[in-house]
Amino acid sequence: MTSPVPAPRIPEAVHRRRWAILGVLMLSLLIVVLDNSILNVAIKTIATPAPTGLGATQSEIEWAINAYTLVFAGLLFTAGLVGDRLGRKKVLLGGIAVFGIGSALAAESGSPAQLIAYRALMALGAAFVMPATLAVLMNVFEREEQPKAIGIWAGGVGLAIAIGPITGGALLDHFWWGSVFFINVPIVILALVLMVWLVPDSRDPRPGRLDPVGVVLSVVGLVLLVYGIIKGGELADFTDAKVLATILAGLAVLAGFIVFEKRSDHPSLDVTYFRNKVFSAAMSAIALVFFALMGVTFFSVFYTQSVRGYTPLQSGLLMLPLAAAQMIFAPRARLVVDRFGNKATTTAGLLLIAATLAVFATFDADTPIWLMEVVFFLMGAGMAHIMTPTSVVIMQALPREKAGSASALSNTFRQVGGALGIAVLGSVLAASYRDGIEDKLGVLPPGLRDTAAESVEATLGIAEKLGPRGEALVGPADDAFLHAMHLTALCGTGVALIGAVVTALFLPGRPPAGQHEDAEPELVAAAE
């Protein structure tokens, strides 16, 4: 007598259209991730004085990036719980609609302050899209198909990272700077129509409790800390009373957040996870690698466009090796982990990142561009061999039922590490540039000197308006920027080396045979 075949968990009508549903989810994910990578090549254009750009200062550009990252990271946990409680489809529709409205408003921003506010609104929508796409996916695929579906879903992230800079560059070659945001609007409308038609609703029968106090404390603490760091770079003085007060206030609020979460019976961040040294080391590695890489991406755009004179499209194409290496090596990194273990693979990846950043510190105005392409490719390879093993370690360090929390936590640490990288390394860049250029600005009227010292783009913009008189500033501006870039790259090298020491000391070696295969669905989710 044959045993009865278990009834399918997914309704037949949903099962039949599961791949179409995955396509819609990937479309939603694509624009949310694409937005940050597309913005990277637009940084220089937005920094250009009106009418070409907004004339944003370096600190305002940092805020335009970090407003998105901090709001996104701060709301990620709560957004997932809201979706569990209200229904994933409703939250997904609401999130993508808010993201689209924010994109349209950002495209029409009349000032850097407006752009920062609308980027925060976009992040509010994006925070509800990211966890909902994965939750819907898990509810439309049977368990045996989930690893394949999650692998495709995760591949969408890599695709967005690759095509974002090229799309942004192509738009900026033909349209105004706001087109990099407006491009989201028709895609959002298409995604909304397809979602209403195709995506089924689902919710958690036992949703977790929301933690509004924890969310507010984490976002306020991070914003104060990042604001203080960026302000210090803008003033080229980290001992300024306001700067110190803001940074200390941010640290105090974050300390209060940790104390509150430790005492809460429904924390958005379960701090007890971090008693596990292996888990803490893996999270530190994720945060540190994104700290270093986001800072490098930030200054490399000014190097390729302002110093080397490449167009936004050419600049986007120059960053392709970074994305290509991640797409090539990330799926194969597990083979390296199987051969050499988590500790050796991750530590080697961080050392490779440190080495490439150190090479960046040698670049000048006429370094062969192929050398930068090699460096970007090696950076991508290093990153791929950090993310996969740390994801394996995180999933093995916690019980299986905590996989969702671990995935959200690694995503949050990645975002926060990137935000702090842009803030800290961007501030080092700004402070060093100001120190290097200030004594060369004597040819300018006193009222323009402070503005010209804010960034290389500000100096070159003013020099262009002055005509022949301003030409004398171009060489010193390039030299001051290159010196600032070298110092910033060396700071990034130091951060990557700290990460290598942490992983070498605390990550486990080669995992027992067969241990990692059990966690594949969660592993891929955590990796992306």
Side-chain angles (χ1 to χ4, degrees), residues 184-330:
N184 294 333
V185 176
I187 303 173
V188 163
I189 293 169
L190 176 63
L192 284 171
V193 171
L194 292 173
M195 274 179 208
V196 170
W197 177 36
L198 287 170
V199 175
D201 205 359
S202 63
R203 65 182 70 198
D204 190 333
R206 295 186 300 277
R209 290 168 62 193
L210 301 180
D211 178 26
V213 176
V215 170
V216 170
L217 286 173
S218 64
V219 173
V220 169
L222 283 169
V223 168
L224 284 171
L225 177 62
V226 169
Y227 179 83
I229 293 168
I230 291 175
K231 194 68 181 171
E234 189 181 337
L235 299 173
D237 182 10
F238 286 91
T239 61
D240 180 84
K242 285 182 183 175
V243 171
L244 284 175
T246 310
I247 290 174
L248 291 173
L251 292 172
V253 173
L254 289 174
F257 165 70
I258 292 169
V259 171
F260 180 83
E261 295 298 284
K262 195 178 286 188
R263 294 178 178 175
S264 174
D265 59 357
H266 57 284
S268 55
L269 171 62
D270 191 339
V271 293
T272 60
Y273 294 167
F274 292 92
R275 291 175 186 162
N276 183 323
K277 288 181 181 178
V278 170
F279 180 86
S280 296
M283 284 296 183
S284 300
I286 286 174
L288 290 170
V289 74
F290 273 87
F291 181 103
L293 284 174
M294 289 296 282
V296 171
T297 305
F298 184 79
F299 69 63
S300 67
V301 171
F302 286 100
Y303 172 68
T304 55
Q305 293 185 38
S306 296
V307 176
R308 302 300 296 263
Y310 288 100
T311 67
L313 177 56
Q314 290 168 334
S315 181
L317 289 168
L318 287 173
M319 296 186 76
L320 260 183
L322 184 68
Q326 288 181 59
M327 293 178 76
I328 292 167
F329 292 110

Side-chain angles (χ1 to χ4, degrees), residues 333-365:
R334 279 183 62 178
L335 301 174
V336 182
V337 173
D338 289 346
R339 178 76 183 272
F340 299 105
N342 292 311
K343 184 198 293 275
T345 306
T346 309
T347 304
L350 280 157
L351 289 173
L352 181 57
I353 294 285
T356 54
L357 288 169
V359 174
F360 236 111
T362 67
F363 285 2
D364 55 33

Side-chain angles (χ1 to χ4, degrees), residues 357-383:
L357 288 169
V359 174
F360 236 111
T362 67
F363 285 2
D364 55 33
D366 54 5
T367 297
I369 208 65
W370 63 263
L371 184 59
M372 190 176 82
E373 297 297 88
V374 172
V375 166
F376 274 150
F377 186 81
L378 292 174
M379 275 184 183
M383 190 173 168

